[in-house]
Amino acid sequence: MESNFEQPTYRPKIKQTPLHEAQPVQALPEKSIRLDLDDDKNSGVSLWLWALGLGVLSILSFSVFHAIQTIDSYFNTYPILSSFLGLGLGAFILAIALLIYKEVKGYLDVSQFVDSKVDLKALETLGDRHSTLNKLQNHASLVSKSSYASRCFRQFESAINSDLSNHEIIGLYQSKVAEPILKKAEEVLKKESFVSGGLAFISPNTLIQTLLFAWISVRTLKRIARVFGLRPGITGNWKLIRVAAENMAAQSFFDLATDEITNQIGSSLAAKFMENSAEAVAAGALNIRLGKALIQLLNEAKHG
Amino acid sequence: MKNILRTVSEQFGSLLDSGANKLDDWFIKDVHKIAITGLSRSGKSMLFTSLMTTLKYRSEENYNCLPLLKSLPIEFVEGMKLDAIESYELFPIKDHIQSLENQRWPKPTEQLYGFRLTIRLKETGSIKKYLLPHKEIVFEFLDYPGEWITDMPMLNKTFSQWSDSAWAQQMTEPQSYYAQEWHHFTRAFNFDLVPDDDSIACVVNEYRHYLKKSKAGGISLLQPGSFLISGSGFDWEHHGFAPLPTKVTSDLSNPWNKVFSNNYQLFLNQWLKPLKENSFKESDKQIILIDLFEGLNHSKLHLQQLKETLSNLSETFVYGNPSWFSKTVLRNTAIGKVAFVATKSDLIPESQKPQLLSLLQDITEGARAKFEEKDIEFDHFLVSAIQATDSGLSKNSLRYTNLQDEYIEVEFEDIPTSLKSMNRDENFPVLPVKVPKDFLPRILNGRGMDRLFQYLLE
Ligand SMILES: Nc1nc2c(ncn2[C@@H]2O[C@H](COP(=O)(O)OP(=O)(O)OP(=O)(O)O)[C@@H](O)[C@H]2O)c(=O)[nH]1
Ligand SMILES: [Mg+2]
């Protein structure tokens, strides 16, 4: 029965080395952002920019046309002088071409943005956490820095730690990025549809109505695109309209009559109860369809 | 930063005061009775402190904490409050925050505390919004000394059964090392003498001395643990007992046997039974906290023993109150949920976490087997109530500040993934981590709490 044991000794499986520095201080977690945050600062300017841009473009084209004509007619009489003029003109055209190239690039960026959109379901089945994070970060790098989307992404990033599984990361992305953006975009669309319906309602003639509608549609698309972190140039906007319109055409005709659309107009617009409201409703509905098409195109949230 | 820290405990003051107002009872209440159990020093009090602090800062200051806790989305939380459960004392959250502010860990718990955490959610449905403006999620928790839980299995034993098994355990490693003095004492002691107050006190004290020594040595199975806690409601000084050598317990006429049997029954009836009925109240959700580091700190045998202890205790853990359990949970076909949680996961490098999780699964094997065929769902989790360490240079290292304020880099070899793969002569000395000055962000940056509570709430 005698138990006579030595104090057991063990080989430690850790090795400690003192450091000559102080422990770093950790930061508090980021604060979470509220959905009702509004970041539409520069509204209404774009119509003027459009008019101005088109005006400048036509003046430019006219003067270029004139210039070529003039140089051509003077070439036989003053070959050297007109060569210089020609060179200057060439350089000028090159510069313009560069500007146009930039616009085209903006145009391409839109496609790149749409293409880089992450498919969360696919990431769930295929991806491991590392490649999922890479994909998400890659997409986030295309998002404009001051946008709502980018703030959502920062929140998501600050919540990520090495303990999280692929599934959890995707869940977090869904709840911290994809869903809030979708919600925000739908809010913006609702507001815009109110304006578009209202504009159609007050406009005195069809031409003005059509122009206003074109303007509000572009504005709607731009605002929605901005929520998603897309800040397209002017041509980028055209591209957006095109893809949105294509997407819209692909939707079933019956979409127009869905509860959701009538609900949205109904709740945001008293037009239903007024005379002359049919056009307002139609304009609002069209705008909503356009906006919805774009949201569908850009949305990453599951079941969105 | 300093200012924030200074106001932490003040803010809890206002939190407590607001708890004095009675709730309006027409709120929809979603009550979760979550029992958190765990052996002594397993991290219960720290977990509560961290949970309350994090929820508070999340709901009142909008800090982006607990991101995986989808059942309680930040944007719908309107506020929370903390109040005492009737007939229990309120959990000393202010004292705990105060100690952390002074860079000391909260004191070991010496008595029973009960508290209720009420989280008020905004109702989002439009009609419900007017009829029932709020929904409340209520958590009820109890905190108590871990030593008490180890005593629960004694309820199913007679004195001689308990004495014999305790004696057998003392003869095996690793306890045998710590039991030498006690064994020496019993061999020299004459158990034929008629016991009187002095000689009883002498034997009981000698036994307590053994219990204390083994506890310091990391032994998890120590009965009665209640003898080690001054706040226990049992007068062990006058009605104490100790296991007796088999030759004494087998002699039914031995006076010591009689006296200790009596005292043992008193202990069960006056202390353990009421304790069990009051403290391990009805709950369909259980969190079992397990500190693997105490075992890793000592040896494979210590871990082996932890596994046995958990297995012995699993019935207490899971059923708390067996009649209530079968009446409510089983009949309602509700599924009981059990979460096994390895605490203090910040004490190993990130890269070793999968290993630690697998070791945890190995350690809970026996405990799980007890309820595997029942309607109980379980899962395993790693949690750190506070992120007291930082990552190190290599992926297998971390950094911490020790009690002498030295900042130290620690390189780890691989943590064993099961008991089998641990060598008998190796250990992982536990790191004597000092509470960092920036304890608040480190609590808010704790890990795994959101995953754990989401599991229990969904
Ligand atoms: N590094 C680290 N240490 C922890 C953590 N949680 C607890 N500890 C350590 O573990 C010790 C025990 O934690 P407590 O919360 O007091 O344990 P308990 O289960 O309440 O213990 P009793 O009240 O004695 O039953 C603390 O003093 C800390 O040293 C954690 O998340 N990280
Ligand atoms: Mg405690």
Side-chain angles (χ1 to χ4, degrees), chain A residues 118-129 131-133 136 156 160 164-179 300-302, chain B residues 68 70:
Chain A
V118 286
D119 181 353
L120 293 179
K121 269 191 206 131
L123 285 182
E124 187 118 42
T125 46
L126 304 174
D128 60 315
R129 45 166 284 140
S131 68
T132 298
L133 271 178
L136 296 178
F156 161 74
I160 291 295
L164 302 179
S165 68
N166 185 43
H167 177 76
E168 284 167 336
I169 288 176
I170 290 169
L172 267 186
Y173 189 82
Q174 166 91 355
S175 65
K176 294 250 173 231
V177 183
E179 274 167 8
E300 295 175 327
K302 287 177 272 185
Chain B
L68 296 179
K70 280 192 229 122

Side-chain angles (χ1 to χ4, degrees), chain A residues 7 33 79 106 111 158 162 169 174 197 199 203 218 222 260 278 290:
Chain A
Q7 164 88 54
I33 47 170
S111 332
S158 76
S162 53
I169 288 176
Q174 166 91 355
L199 283 177
S203 58
V218 173
K222 196 178 70 189
E260 207 178 345
L290 206 61

Side-chain angles (χ1 to χ4, degrees), chain B residues 110 112 145 148 151-152 155 224-227 229 231-235 265-279:
Chain B
E110 294 260 299
L112 182 60
W148 290 355
D151 293 351
M152 291 302 156
L155 280 168
S226 303
F227 284 15
I229 301 292
S232 304
F234 184 74
D235 181 5
Q265 277 313 316
L266 270 183
F267 176 76
L268 299 193
N269 295 333
Q270 287 184 354
W271 167 242
L272 222 47
K273 262 188 207 144
L275 176 69
K276 179 168 182 172
E277 271 147 33
N278 294 329
S279 346

